Amino acid sequence: MLEVKSLGKKYDQHWVLKEIQMSVSSGEFFSLLGPSGCGKTTLLRLLAGFEDPTTGEVWQDGSRIDRLPPHRRQFNTVFQRYALFPHLNVWENVAFGLRMKKVETRELTERVSEALVLVQMDTFFEREVSTLSGGQQQRVALARAIVNRPKILLLDEPLSALDLKLRRQMQVELLALQRRLNLTFIFVTHDQEEALTLSDRIAVMNSGVIEQIGTPQEIYESPKTEFVAEFIGSMNTFAGSVHEVREGEISLAGCSKKPLAVRPPSDGLRPLPRLTPLDSAKLMVRPEKLKVLKTQPGPEVNCLEGVLKEILYQGAMTRFLVSSREGGLTWMVEQPNTAATAKKIFQLGERVFISWLPEDGILLRSQGIGGQSESNSPLG
């Protein structure tokens, strides 16, 4: 439905977007995810027509649209601050775009009523927007966008102004609305959890480029670069060199007494990189893939010895910080809580063992696109 070809944007000799290539399918919930300043909002503005690209093209349904003004594109935008008219009530805010298009009164009434019902604001139609809560204002902004029946809805961090509990509630409502309307959503966010929760696919952006496009599972379980691996969720990371390459297994040396094994998972989602002995590489392991044990496990798993530095109770799970005696790194481990609390089982300062399956390690060449440092940074 939408195709972006070699799109770039330059301000005063500085490229804020470089060679953006992506396609979005009809009815897809597609997210642009990245830190502040990565270019995701600029990309959204180029798609909407609020900015002109320096290079590249944008195509929709087989027609080039990057030279069209915003009002001739079949898009609508929901902004971070909603941009509602404070002097108009809910009904008039939603009806504003249709009045500008001189839509006949009967059709206007039907479409506004339908939009307000969809966002559960039909009983608030006479309210002034200044009297509404943040969540209610967000619903009005959505209604004003969908009343025009766009083919693509662009959303620029529309939930960022809400508190955590309301934001999670609105995430569910937003996803339900998208599925009910079968609209194509392009959603900008810097919140990894939000992108993983809502998206069919995610484009992870960094310094004006797209580092990886994939499903939430692909992005989380099979990152292609160091930046993606360390930006999405928490990660334990350390550098080493390839010790041995065998059929279906690579072992890494330099961070433990015994080389650590890495194997691809059975689902085939994360194939091993092409490496040879002595190549520099990074081994990454998610905190929830690790276990903290009081006794040393068997040889079928990777294992490091360490000292328990901190136990952090966090409700559904407990976070352990373990200082490794091999390599001097600090590891983060997250384990679900059981009836017996972790503080009754473990004591600060005691010797423990960290273990994980070879299939749970992520192995990458050291020089990732993101250019992350060589230091171990589990706190992310």
Side-chain angles (χ1 to χ4, degrees), residues 176-250:
L177 178 66
Q178 188 262 345
R179 288 175 175 169
R180 192 157 60 241
L181 296 174
N182 196 32
L183 267 180
T184 303
F185 277 21
I186 300 180
F187 184 88
V188 165
T189 182
H190 64 271
D191 188 317
Q192 300 100 316
E193 180 184 329
E194 189 167 80
L196 293 171
T197 299
L198 295 174
S199 311
D200 295 311
R201 286 191 304 146
I202 302 169
V204 182
M205 299 185 65
N206 178 37
S207 300
V209 301
I210 293 178
E211 298 236 354
Q212 184 174 350
I213 297 177
T215 65
Q217 183 184 9
E218 289 168 346
I219 294 292
Y220 189 83
E221 299 288 351
S222 185
K224 302 299 184 186
T225 70
E226 292 173 34
F227 174 81
V228 174
E230 296 186 348
F231 182 73
I232 306 295
S234 299
M235 187 71 81
N236 295 283
T237 306
F238 58 82
S241 61
V242 175
H243 173 72
E244 187 178 9
V245 179
R246 294 187 293 178
E247 182 69 28
E249 182 175 303
I250 295 177

Side-chain angles (χ1 to χ4, degrees), residues 45-314:
R45 290 179 63 83
L46 291 178
L47 297 179
F50 302 142
E51 302 272 358
D52 295 322
T54 306
T55 61
E57 303 171 358
V58 180
W59 292 71
Q60 183 191 348
D61 292 332
S63 299
R64 186 172 176 180
I65 65 169
D66 53 90
R67 296 171 182 170
L68 297 178
H71 68 274
R72 292 186 59 194
R73 305 188 189 197
Q74 295 174 307
F75 298 176
N76 265 92
T77 305
V78 178
F79 298 97
Q80 183 175 351
R81 299 187 182 277
Y82 312 139
L84 299 174
F85 299 114
H87 62 288
L88 300 179
N89 64 21
V90 168
W91 178 276
E92 291 300 331
N93 263 278
V94 177
F96 183 82
L98 299 181
R99 293 198 192 282
M100 293 296 291
K101 293 179 180 179
K102 303 188 186 307
V103 173
E104 188 267 332
T105 301
R106 181 176 178 181
E107 181 184 354
L108 181 147
T109 301
E110 290 176 354
R111 287 168 64 173
V112 172
S113 298
E114 178 186 53
L116 288 174
V117 169
L118 281 170
V119 299
Q120 302 173 31
M121 288 295 291
D122 50 305
T123 59
F124 294 80
F125 69 96
E126 291 184 317
R127 290 274 295 272
E128 299 298 320
V129 296
S130 60
T131 67
L132 301 177
S133 67
Q136 290 169 335
Q137 289 185 21
Q138 199 254 12
R139 290 190 182 97
V140 176
L142 282 170
R144 189 177 62 180
I146 63 178
V147 78
N148 290 303
R149 297 175 180 171
K151 286 196 172 182
I152 298 178
L153 194 60
L154 308 174
L155 302 104
D156 187 8
E157 303 202 49
L159 308 181
S160 62
L162 307 179
D163 63 67
L164 179 60
K165 185 174 181 180
L166 181 55
R167 187 162 71 244
R168 288 179 173 170
Q169 176 189 335
M170 291 305 301
Q171 287 172 7
V172 175
E173 293 186 15
L174 189 64
L175 187 58
L177 178 66
Q178 188 262 345
R179 288 175 175 169
R180 192 157 60 241
L181 296 174
N182 196 32
L183 267 180
T184 303
F185 277 21
I186 300 180
F187 184 88
V188 165
T189 182
H190 64 271
D191 188 317
Q192 300 100 316
E193 180 184 329
E194 189 167 80
L196 293 171
T197 299
L198 295 174
S199 311
D200 295 311
R201 286 191 304 146
I202 302 169
V204 182
M205 299 185 65
N206 178 37
S207 300
V209 301
I210 293 178
E211 298 236 354
Q212 184 174 350
I213 297 177
T215 65
Q217 183 184 9
E218 289 168 346
I219 294 292
Y220 189 83
E221 299 288 351
S222 185
K224 302 299 184 186
T225 70
E226 292 173 34
F227 174 81
V228 174
E230 296 186 348
F231 182 73
I232 306 295
S234 299
M235 187 71 81
N236 295 283
T237 306
F238 58 82
S241 61
V242 175
H243 173 72
E244 187 178 9
V245 179
R246 294 187 293 178
E247 182 69 28
E249 182 175 303
I250 295 177
S251 58
L252 196 70
C255 42
S256 64
K257 295 177 182 177
K258 177 184 175 183
L260 301 172
V262 185
R263 290 196 290 267
S266 58
D267 59 14
L269 188 63
R270 188 171 59 247
L272 292 175
R274 293 183 179 179
L275 295 168
T276 58
L278 301 182
D279 281 349
S280 295
K282 283 194 174 180
L283 178 59
M284 302 178 169
V285 190
R286 297 284 184 193
E288 70 273 15
K289 304 292 186 181
L290 301 172
K291 291 183 179 180
V292 176
L293 305 170
K294 296 179 77 71
T295 58
Q296 188 168 1
E300 69 279 0
V301 298
N302 291 312
C303 177
L304 293 172
E305 183 181 345
V307 176
L308 186 56
K309 292 296 186 182
E310 193 58 77
I311 302 173
L312 305 171
Y313 176 79
Q314 297 187 326

Side-chain angles (χ1 to χ4, degrees), residues 9-54:
K9 182 64 178 177
K10 182 167 65 173
Y11 295 108
D12 298 326
Q13 306 306 311
H14 174 65
W15 288 94
V16 296
L17 286 178
K18 294 165 280 187
E19 290 292 318
I20 299 296
Q21 308 270 8
M22 70 181 200
S23 60
V24 181
S25 300
S26 178
E28 186 173 24
F29 199 122
F30 189 93
S31 290
L32 303 174
L33 172 67
S36 297
C38 72
K40 54 188 185 294
T41 295
T42 300
L43 176 53
L44 199 77
R45 290 179 63 83
L46 291 178
L47 297 179
F50 302 142
E51 302 272 358
D52 295 322
T54 306

